[in-house]
Amino acid sequence: MEYSKEKLEELAYDYANEGRAALSERKLNQAALSMQQAINHFKEAGNLSMYARSLNMLGVIYGALGNETMAVDYYLEGLECSIQNNFSHITILFYNNIGSRYLELNEHERAIGYFLRAEKELESDIVKLEESYSTWCLVTYLNLLLSNTALRNFEQAEYYLQKVLPYVALEENSEYHFSVMISQYWLYWLEGKKELVRDHLDEILEGALNDESTSDYVENMLSVCKLLREMEECDNWKRVIKAFEMYTIDQDSIYFQLVLTEMWMDYYKHIDDMNRYIHLCVDHAELYRKQKVIEDKERAAAIDIKI
């Protein structure tokens, strides 16, 4: 059946809204299916701006699902579209998200290169008019805080911490509250402000157990586990892993089971329970094999769609 441009756009927006709603409810597989339909319809309708935005959103969803290869594929396709059409108000999204993939690979110098490009885009008058401008400022400064902290560039990290804090207080940025909090206290811990961090342990735990983040949830939980391990807060570390375990059950995803297993491996190795650790190593190998099969199938399906 052939649709008019108006009907195609109507369907595309419906699918995009379904995808965003599913993402906010952490129904990631459903979100991916809806957003792929939105991409197809926006492209057919010739709405390249929304096509690029939807490519970015699908990249975010695949990143949250742990499929970094697919995420980067969509980011690069969207970045190319944005640059070709001078969509500077969309390009900033791809610079941040591509940089985030490098951040997660601990390639922080390369990550910072992309984050600085995003920061430059924040100066654009077109970008400043966007409804999401404050969120883009927060994400950009938070990313620069994270990578500079990882590189022990504490002066730069403190600079971007002060830049990001005013934006986290805004209601529209509540999803990022814990992301900023854990980044702040990890920086303080590395700077040797350990008593200050311990004074805020209850706040950190409450934030971890009530984190509203969608796309950054896994990274947030990994970060808080890392901090609690360094603090030797083993009981509280276990509480956070158990909370993530409940999230994993809801997701019904091999990727999340894999991350959960790695969390427990780290925990049991740290407390020197080598029997549990070895058992989990065996489980991890099998989950890794299953995840590879899933990723290969998703890549094949993506090729079919593009052809």
Side-chain angles (χ1 to χ4, degrees):
M1 180 183 295
E2 291 189 8
Y3 293 112
S4 66
K5 178 181 177 180
E6 290 75 16
K7 183 60 176 179
L8 284 168
E9 288 197 337
E10 180 184 339
L11 290 170
Y13 278 110
D14 286 344
Y15 280 121
N17 289 334
E18 286 177 11
R20 281 191 288 269
L23 177 61
S24 69
E25 295 172 7
R26 295 175 175 173
K27 299 176 181 178
L28 301 179
N29 289 305
Q30 180 182 328
L33 291 172
S34 295
M35 200 55 64
Q36 183 62 69
Q37 289 294 327
I39 287 170
N40 296 342
H41 285 75
F42 279 129
K43 185 176 184 180
E44 190 174 351
N47 189 333
L48 296 181
S49 176
M50 286 304 302
Y51 170 68
R53 284 181 181 272
S54 299
L55 285 168
N56 176 72
M57 185 57 67
L58 189 55
V60 169
I61 293 166
Y62 272 113
L65 281 166
N67 193 331
E68 298 297 331
T69 303
M70 290 283 285
V72 171
D73 282 349
Y74 285 110
Y75 290 148
L76 292 175
E77 185 177 348
L79 178 61
E80 181 180 10
C81 176
S82 297
I83 291 174
Q84 287 177 349
N85 293 280
N86 296 315
F87 297 150
S88 60
H89 59 299
I90 304 175
T91 304
I92 187 173
L93 303 175
F94 294 107
Y95 285 151
N96 266 312
N97 286 324
I98 293 171
S100 293
R101 303 286 73 77
Y102 281 119
L103 186 154
E104 290 171 12
L105 294 170
N106 292 315
E107 293 282 348
H108 294 288
E109 295 286 1
R110 299 175 77 175
I112 286 173
Y114 279 96
F115 298 149
L116 289 175
R117 293 184 198 182
E119 185 180 30
K120 182 67 176 176
E121 294 290 349
L122 292 174
E123 300 172 6
S124 165
D125 290 336
I126 296 176
V127 172
K128 290 179 180 178
L129 293 173
E130 286 288 315
E131 183 179 356
S132 300
Y133 180 71
S134 69
T135 302
W136 294 348
C137 288
L138 183 151
V139 170
T140 302
Y141 299 144
L142 174 59
N143 284 335
L144 284 161
L145 163 61
L146 289 167
S147 278
N148 278 290
T149 299
L151 292 173
R152 304 300 198 266
N153 295 334
F154 294 142
E155 184 176 348
Q156 281 293 95
E158 286 281 0
Y159 170 77
Y160 284 111
L161 175 61
Q162 297 309 312
K163 296 271 281 186
V164 77
L165 287 176
Y167 291 101
V168 79
L170 301 176
E171 183 178 352
E172 61 263 31
N173 295 330
S174 61
E175 177 183 342
Y176 297 95
H177 182 266
F178 184 67
S179 300
V180 174
M181 180 198 299
I182 192 62
S183 302
Q184 179 179 10
Y185 289 127
W186 179 241
L187 171 61
Y188 288 168
W189 184 267
L190 293 179
E191 289 178 322
K193 304 173 184 177
K194 297 185 177 182
E195 288 307 311
L196 175 61
V197 177
R198 292 190 186 282
D199 288 344
H200 289 84
L201 177 59
D202 289 344
E203 179 186 359
I204 293 168
L205 288 171
E206 182 181 359
L209 298 174
N210 297 285
D211 185 18
E212 297 179 359
S213 177
T214 51
S215 58
D216 294 332
Y217 181 73
V218 173
E219 288 304 313
N220 286 349
M221 294 304 101
L222 290 171
S223 295
V224 74
C225 285
K226 177 173 63 176
L227 176 59
L228 293 171
R229 179 184 62 211
E230 292 298 314
M231 296 174 72
E232 293 292 342
E233 287 285 340
C234 292
D235 288 344
N236 286 320
W237 181 9
K238 189 174 184 178
R239 284 180 64 195
V240 172
I241 298 176
K242 283 185 172 293
F244 184 79
E245 191 168 48
M246 297 304 298
Y247 174 79
T248 300
I249 292 170
D250 291 339
Q251 290 301 316
D252 189 27
S253 161
I254 296 296
Y255 166 68
F256 288 108
Q257 292 176 38
L258 192 62
V259 174
L260 175 64
T261 301
E262 290 171 354
M263 285 181 172
W264 282 123
M265 286 169 62
D266 191 24
Y267 174 79
Y268 283 114
K269 186 176 182 180
H270 186 80
I271 66 172
D272 203 29
D273 187 339
M274 298 310 292
N275 287 333
R276 295 293 294 274
Y277 173 75
I278 292 169
H279 177 76
L280 287 163
C281 286
V282 175
D283 291 344
H284 184 271
E286 178 61 15
L287 288 168
Y288 184 85
R289 183 191 65 78
K290 290 180 179 179
Q291 178 65 14
K292 182 67 168 58
V293 170
I294 291 169
E295 289 181 2
D296 288 346
K297 287 181 178 179
E298 287 175 343
R299 286 183 61 79
I303 293 170
D304 289 341
I305 290 170
K306 291 177 182 179
I307 293 174

Short mmCIF file of all heavy atoms in Angstrom, two decimals, residues 158-191:
data_model
loop_
_atom_site.label_atom_id
_atom_site.label_comp_id
_atom_site.label_asym_id
_atom_site.label_seq_id
_atom_site.Cartn_x
_atom_site.Cartn_y
_atom_site.Cartn_z
N GLU A 158 37.32 19.21 37.42
CA GLU A 158 36.65 20.14 38.34
C GLU A 158 35.97 21.27 37.55
O GLU A 158 34.87 21.72 37.91
CB GLU A 158 37.66 20.72 39.33
CG GLU A 158 38.11 19.76 40.41
CD GLU A 158 37.06 19.64 41.52
OE1 GLU A 158 36.01 20.30 41.44
OE2 GLU A 158 37.31 18.87 42.47
N TYR A 159 36.63 21.72 36.49
CA TYR A 159 36.07 22.79 35.65
C TYR A 159 34.73 22.35 35.08
O TYR A 159 33.73 23.07 35.14
CB TYR A 159 37.05 23.14 34.54
CG TYR A 159 36.48 24.04 33.47
CD1 TYR A 159 36.32 25.41 33.69
CD2 TYR A 159 36.09 23.53 32.24
CE1 TYR A 159 35.80 26.25 32.72
CE2 TYR A 159 35.56 24.36 31.25
CZ TYR A 159 35.42 25.71 31.50
OH TYR A 159 34.90 26.54 30.52
N TYR A 160 34.68 21.12 34.53
CA TYR A 160 33.44 20.65 33.91
C TYR A 160 32.41 20.22 34.96
O TYR A 160 31.21 20.28 34.69
CB TYR A 160 33.74 19.53 32.92
CG TYR A 160 34.32 20.07 31.64
CD1 TYR A 160 35.66 19.84 31.29
CD2 TYR A 160 33.54 20.85 30.79
CE1 TYR A 160 36.19 20.36 30.12
CE2 TYR A 160 34.07 21.38 29.62
CZ TYR A 160 35.39 21.13 29.29
OH TYR A 160 35.92 21.67 28.14
N LEU A 161 32.85 19.85 36.14
CA LEU A 161 31.90 19.59 37.22
C LEU A 161 31.12 20.85 37.55
O LEU A 161 29.89 20.82 37.70
CB LEU A 161 32.63 19.07 38.47
CG LEU A 161 31.77 18.88 39.71
CD1 LEU A 161 30.66 17.87 39.47
CD2 LEU A 161 32.63 18.45 40.91
N GLN A 162 31.82 21.96 37.67
CA GLN A 162 31.15 23.23 37.96
C GLN A 162 30.26 23.67 36.81
O GLN A 162 29.23 24.32 37.03
CB GLN A 162 32.19 24.32 38.28
CG GLN A 162 33.02 24.04 39.51
CD GLN A 162 32.16 23.69 40.73
OE1 GLN A 162 31.18 24.38 41.03
NE2 GLN A 162 32.51 22.62 41.42
N LYS A 163 30.62 23.29 35.58
CA LYS A 163 29.79 23.63 34.41
C LYS A 163 28.50 22.81 34.40
O LYS A 163 27.45 23.30 33.98
CB LYS A 163 30.58 23.36 33.12
CG LYS A 163 31.81 24.23 32.92
CD LYS A 163 31.48 25.53 32.21
CE LYS A 163 31.33 25.34 30.72
NZ LYS A 163 31.16 26.61 29.99
N VAL A 164 28.58 21.55 34.84
CA VAL A 164 27.43 20.66 34.72
C VAL A 164 26.43 20.83 35.87
O VAL A 164 25.22 20.63 35.67
CB VAL A 164 27.89 19.19 34.63
CG1 VAL A 164 28.29 18.63 35.99
CG2 VAL A 164 26.80 18.31 34.01
N LEU A 165 26.87 21.20 37.05
CA LEU A 165 26.00 21.22 38.22
C LEU A 165 24.75 22.11 38.08
O LEU A 165 23.66 21.69 38.50
CB LEU A 165 26.80 21.62 39.47
CG LEU A 165 27.76 20.56 40.00
CD1 LEU A 165 28.57 21.11 41.17
CD2 LEU A 165 26.99 19.30 40.43
N PRO A 166 24.84 23.30 37.49
CA PRO A 166 23.62 24.11 37.36
C PRO A 166 22.54 23.45 36.51
O PRO A 166 21.35 23.66 36.73
CB PRO A 166 24.13 25.40 36.70
CG PRO A 166 25.58 25.46 37.02
CD PRO A 166 26.04 24.03 37.03
N TYR A 167 22.94 22.62 35.56
CA TYR A 167 21.97 22.01 34.65
C TYR A 167 21.27 20.80 35.27
O TYR A 167 20.13 20.50 34.92
CB TYR A 167 22.66 21.59 33.35
CG TYR A 167 23.09 22.77 32.52
CD1 TYR A 167 24.42 23.19 32.51
CD2 TYR A 167 22.18 23.47 31.74
CE1 TYR A 167 24.82 24.29 31.76
CE2 TYR A 167 22.57 24.57 30.99
CZ TYR A 167 23.89 24.97 30.99
OH TYR A 167 24.28 26.06 30.25
N VAL A 168 21.93 20.12 36.21
CA VAL A 168 21.31 18.93 36.80
C VAL A 168 20.15 19.30 37.71
O VAL A 168 19.28 18.47 38.00
CB VAL A 168 22.36 18.10 37.55
CG1 VAL A 168 22.68 18.69 38.91
CG2 VAL A 168 21.91 16.65 37.70
N ALA A 169 20.12 20.54 38.14
CA ALA A 169 19.05 20.99 39.03
C ALA A 169 17.74 21.25 38.28
O ALA A 169 16.68 21.34 38.89
CB ALA A 169 19.47 22.26 39.76
N LEU A 170 17.80 21.33 36.95
CA LEU A 170 16.60 21.61 36.16
C LEU A 170 15.72 20.36 36.07
O LEU A 170 16.22 19.25 35.91
CB LEU A 170 17.00 22.07 34.76
CG LEU A 170 17.87 23.34 34.70
CD1 LEU A 170 18.28 23.63 33.26
CD2 LEU A 170 17.13 24.53 35.30
N GLU A 171 14.41 20.57 36.13
CA GLU A 171 13.46 19.45 36.17
C GLU A 171 13.59 18.55 34.95
O GLU A 171 13.50 17.32 35.06
CB GLU A 171 12.03 19.99 36.27
CG GLU A 171 10.99 18.89 36.40
CD GLU A 171 9.59 19.44 36.55
OE1 GLU A 171 9.45 20.67 36.72
OE2 GLU A 171 8.64 18.65 36.50
N GLU A 172 13.83 19.15 33.77
CA GLU A 172 13.88 18.34 32.55
C GLU A 172 15.10 17.43 32.50
O GLU A 172 15.17 16.54 31.65
CB GLU A 172 13.87 19.26 31.31
CG GLU A 172 15.04 20.22 31.21
CD GLU A 172 14.72 21.61 31.74
OE1 GLU A 172 13.89 21.70 32.67
OE2 GLU A 172 15.28 22.58 31.23
N ASN A 173 16.03 17.62 33.41
CA ASN A 173 17.25 16.81 33.42
C ASN A 173 17.31 15.83 34.59
O ASN A 173 18.38 15.32 34.94
CB ASN A 173 18.48 17.73 33.46
CG ASN A 173 18.62 18.57 32.21
OD1 ASN A 173 18.20 18.16 31.13
ND2 ASN A 173 19.17 19.76 32.35
N SER A 174 16.16 15.53 35.21
CA SER A 174 16.15 14.67 36.39
C SER A 174 16.72 13.29 36.11
O SER A 174 17.29 12.65 37.00
CB SER A 174 14.72 14.54 36.94
OG SER A 174 13.87 13.95 35.97
N GLU A 175 16.58 12.82 34.88
CA GLU A 175 17.09 11.49 34.52
C GLU A 175 18.60 11.38 34.75
O GLU A 175 19.11 10.30 35.01
CB GLU A 175 16.78 11.19 33.05
CG GLU A 175 17.33 9.85 32.58
CD GLU A 175 17.07 9.60 31.10
OE1 GLU A 175 16.20 10.26 30.52
OE2 GLU A 175 17.76 8.74 30.54
N TYR A 176 19.29 12.52 34.67
CA TYR A 176 20.76 12.50 34.77
C TYR A 176 21.27 12.80 36.17
O TYR A 176 22.48 12.90 36.38
CB TYR A 176 21.35 13.53 33.79
CG TYR A 176 21.04 13.21 32.34
CD1 TYR A 176 19.95 13.80 31.71
CD2 TYR A 176 21.82 12.31 31.62
CE1 TYR A 176 19.65 13.50 30.38
CE2 TYR A 176 21.53 12.00 30.31
CZ TYR A 176 20.44 12.61 29.70
OH TYR A 176 20.15 12.30 28.38
N HIS A 177 20.36 12.94 37.13
CA HIS A 177 20.76 13.34 38.48
C HIS A 177 21.80 12.39 39.07
O HIS A 177 22.84 12.82 39.58
CB HIS A 177 19.54 13.42 39.39
CG HIS A 177 19.86 13.88 40.78
ND1 HIS A 177 20.11 13.01 41.82
CD2 HIS A 177 19.99 15.12 41.29
CE1 HIS A 177 20.38 13.69 42.92
NE2 HIS A 177 20.31 14.97 42.64
N PHE A 178 21.53 11.09 38.99
CA PHE A 178 22.46 10.14 39.60
C PHE A 178 23.74 10.03 38.78
O PHE A 178 24.83 9.82 39.35
CB PHE A 178 21.83 8.77 39.77
CG PHE A 178 22.74 7.80 40.48
CD1 PHE A 178 23.06 7.99 41.81
CD2 PHE A 178 23.30 6.72 39.82
CE1 PHE A 178 23.92 7.13 42.49
CE2 PHE A 178 24.16 5.85 40.47
CZ PHE A 178 24.47 6.05 41.81
N SER A 179 23.66 10.16 37.48
CA SER A 179 24.86 10.11 36.64
C SER A 179 25.86 11.19 37.07
O SER A 179 27.07 10.93 37.18
CB SER A 179 24.50 10.31 35.16
OG SER A 179 23.63 9.31 34.70
N VAL A 180 25.35 12.39 37.32
CA VAL A 180 26.22 13.48 37.76
C VAL A 180 26.71 13.21 39.18
O VAL A 180 27.88 13.41 39.50
CB VAL A 180 25.48 14.83 37.69
CG1 VAL A 180 26.34 15.94 38.30
CG2 VAL A 180 25.13 15.16 36.24
N MET A 181 25.81 12.73 40.05
CA MET A 181 26.19 12.48 41.44
C MET A 181 27.35 11.49 41.54
O MET A 181 28.34 11.75 42.23
CB MET A 181 24.99 11.94 42.23
CG MET A 181 25.32 11.65 43.70
SD MET A 181 24.12 10.56 44.51
CE MET A 181 22.62 11.52 44.35
N ILE A 182 27.22 10.35 40.88
CA ILE A 182 28.26 9.33 41.01
C ILE A 182 29.56 9.79 40.37
O ILE A 182 30.66 9.47 40.86
CB ILE A 182 27.78 7.96 40.45
CG1 ILE A 182 28.74 6.84 40.85
CG2 ILE A 182 27.61 8.02 38.94
CD1 ILE A 182 28.85 6.63 42.34
N SER A 183 29.47 10.59 39.31
CA SER A 183 30.67 11.13 38.67
C SER A 183 31.37 12.11 39.60
O SER A 183 32.61 12.14 39.69
CB SER A 183 30.30 11.82 37.35
OG SER A 183 29.65 10.94 36.48
N GLN A 184 30.58 12.91 40.29
CA GLN A 184 31.13 13.89 41.24
C GLN A 184 31.86 13.20 42.39
O GLN A 184 33.01 13.56 42.70
CB GLN A 184 29.99 14.75 41.79
CG GLN A 184 30.43 15.79 42.81
CD GLN A 184 29.25 16.63 43.29
OE1 GLN A 184 28.08 16.32 43.00
NE2 GLN A 184 29.55 17.69 44.01
N TYR A 185 31.22 12.19 42.97
CA TYR A 185 31.83 11.55 44.12
C TYR A 185 33.00 10.65 43.73
O TYR A 185 33.92 10.46 44.53
CB TYR A 185 30.78 10.79 44.93
CG TYR A 185 29.85 11.73 45.66
CD1 TYR A 185 28.46 11.62 45.53
CD2 TYR A 185 30.35 12.75 46.47
CE1 TYR A 185 27.61 12.50 46.18
CE2 TYR A 185 29.52 13.62 47.12
CZ TYR A 185 28.15 13.51 46.97
OH TYR A 185 27.32 14.39 47.62
N TRP A 186 32.98 10.10 42.54
CA TRP A 186 34.15 9.33 42.07
C TRP A 186 35.35 10.27 41.88
O TRP A 186 36.47 9.93 42.24
CB TRP A 186 33.82 8.60 40.78
CG TRP A 186 34.97 7.81 40.21
CD1 TRP A 186 35.56 7.97 38.99
CD2 TRP A 186 35.66 6.71 40.84
NE1 TRP A 186 36.59 7.07 38.82
CE2 TRP A 186 36.66 6.28 39.93
CE3 TRP A 186 35.53 6.07 42.07
CZ2 TRP A 186 37.53 5.22 40.24
CZ3 TRP A 186 36.41 5.03 42.37
CH2 TRP A 186 37.38 4.61 41.46
N LEU A 187 35.10 11.45 41.33
CA LEU A 187 36.16 12.45 41.20
C LEU A 187 36.71 12.81 42.58
O LEU A 187 37.94 12.84 42.79
CB LEU A 187 35.62 13.70 40.51
CG LEU A 187 36.55 14.92 40.49
CD1 LEU A 187 37.86 14.64 39.75
CD2 LEU A 187 35.84 16.13 39.87
N TYR A 188 35.83 13.08 43.53
CA TYR A 188 36.28 13.44 44.88
C TYR A 188 37.10 12.31 45.51
O TYR A 188 38.10 12.55 46.18
CB TYR A 188 35.07 13.76 45.78
CG TYR A 188 34.39 15.06 45.47
CD1 TYR A 188 33.14 15.35 46.03
CD2 TYR A 188 34.96 16.01 44.63
CE1 TYR A 188 32.49 16.55 45.77
CE2 TYR A 188 34.32 17.21 44.36
CZ TYR A 188 33.08 17.47 44.93
OH TYR A 188 32.45 18.65 44.67
N TRP A 189 36.67 11.07 45.29
CA TRP A 189 37.40 9.93 45.85
C TRP A 189 38.82 9.87 45.29
O TRP A 189 39.79 9.69 46.05
CB TRP A 189 36.65 8.64 45.55
CG TRP A 189 37.27 7.41 46.17
CD1 TRP A 189 38.18 6.57 45.58
CD2 TRP A 189 37.08 6.93 47.49
NE1 TRP A 189 38.54 5.58 46.46
CE2 TRP A 189 37.88 5.77 47.64
CE3 TRP A 189 36.29 7.34 48.57
CZ2 TRP A 189 37.90 5.04 48.83
CZ3 TRP A 189 36.32 6.61 49.74
CH2 TRP A 189 37.13 5.47 49.86
N LEU A 190 38.95 10.04 44.00
CA LEU A 190 40.28 9.99 43.36
C LEU A 190 41.15 11.16 43.80
O LEU A 190 42.38 11.04 43.84
CB LEU A 190 40.13 9.98 41.84
CG LEU A 190 39.50 8.73 41.23
CD1 LEU A 190 39.39 8.88 39.71
CD2 LEU A 190 40.28 7.47 41.58
N GLU A 191 40.51 12.28 44.11
CA GLU A 191 41.26 13.46 44.57
C GLU A 191 41.68 13.34 46.03
O GLU A 191 42.38 14.22 46.54
CB GLU A 191 40.42 14.73 44.38
CG GLU A 191 40.24 15.13 42.92
CD GLU A 191 39.37 16.37 42.78
OE1 GLU A 191 38.39 16.52 43.54
OE2 GLU A 191 39.67 17.19 41.89
#
